[in-house]
Amino acid sequence: MKKEKIFYGWWIVIAILTNVALLGPAAVALANLFQTAVTTEFGITNSAFAINNMIVLGIGIFISPIVSKYLAGPHFKKTYLMGIASYIIGLVGYSISQNIYMFYFFSLFIGIGFITSTMIPASLLINNWFVEKRGLALSIALSGLGVGGFVLSPVITILITNIQWRMTYLIYAITIAVVVIPITIFLLKFKPEDIGLQALGAEEANSKTNSGENVNDGKVSLSVKDSKTKLFFIALIGGSLIIGLVNNGGLGQFPPSITIQHGPVFSSIIVSLYSIVGIAGKLILGQVTDKYGVRVSVIYTTIGIAIAYSLMMFSDVQLNVYLMAIFFGISNANATVLAPLLTNSIFPAKEYSGAFGFVQSGQQLGMAIGSLAVAGIADASGGYTASWLVMAILGLAGGLSWLVAISNSKKYVK
């Protein structure tokens, strides 16, 4: 095996971070920056524009298991590049759309691109390249979501103001093509064996295997197909759905709620705060998981989310909103970083991609309905307080479901 001063897996991490920073925010976080300009030109309501978000997230519910299967095989790079191409087609399509129905059509391409080129391939690559420091590597790679949102948000806003929304979409598409495609072609390698290397920590794991130690402790001996009727699998997917709902409910409805009480400037400050804290939150979560295991990470992120929503019940006090942003930023990485690490802690490597496809489907379903659920409860109750109480309770329920999955899976370890 070749030896390198810098393990090539860390270059994989940097490549994923860069790709995710450009691709991930385009689907959800940055989409609403175009909302006012598009709704004004087309003469439509904000709700009509929001359907795009449902389409983008909803398509992942159905295609995640299929995408995982193709990404896990010999067609990884081809499938990944097709996802990037789908993103580019969607953005270019937005730029030439003449009505909202054309937007809905091109949102299908954005949804396919989001699933095919962000979370699933990132988790698969890190899983292949790292045995040791897997949590740290994944948290660094997926911090690109926060970095991209933080850096691109002011850039997109300036571009929309100065060259209008159509040209901004086109420039975004060109940027993805110029940056992401070369990185994918020349830097991404599906597994270390492809270039004569081993995963970080694989040598030590192999030596343990040769000495008779059980290195698969905690991994079920069942296939994904045989797991589908087991309690641990149902709890894993159910928890993923709830976590997706709870996290996206806050991301979608914190800004309008805060704007109503404290104005748009304060709301933008809070969004920036939990975005920045979220980057640190991902890194902390990766380190904690590597050192203490997924059970501890599930417990502390679940409690953090519940505290964040509880604080929003008293959001008339600005200090509580600041504290919410800190707790939410630290804890909401449970949907991005912790979900794949949890899946990996339950399933062996050969079953990981199939299992994570279903986990991602559950999360996508939760994300698709999260913001609507919060808004619907707020409309029915005459304010957001009831919404935040429900989200706090659901956050605890999602964490409990994941803990049940961890505990029950031990019954199937041989």
Side-chain angles (χ1 to χ4, degrees), residues 240-274:
S240 300
L241 188 157
I242 296 171
I243 295 298
L245 187 156
V246 169
N247 282 8
N248 212 47
L251 291 172
Q253 293 300 315
F254 282 153
S257 170
I258 297 169
T259 298
I260 291 170
Q261 287 190 307
H262 302 292
V265 174
F266 184 72
S267 178
S268 66
I269 291 171
I270 294 301
V271 172
S272 296
L273 178 57
Y274 63 61

Side-chain angles (χ1 to χ4, degrees), residues 51-92:
I51 293 175
N52 288 294
N53 187 53
M54 290 185 62
I55 294 171
V56 169
L57 296 175
I59 194 169
I61 300 168
F62 306 102
I63 70 170
S64 290
I66 301 171
V67 168
S68 293
K69 178 181 177 181
Y70 279 97
L71 284 169
H75 304 297
F76 169 81
K77 189 165 289 189
K78 183 186 297 184
T79 305
Y80 192 87
L81 287 169
M82 288 175 63
I84 296 169
S86 185
Y87 244 132
I88 294 170
I89 291 170
L91 291 172
V92 172

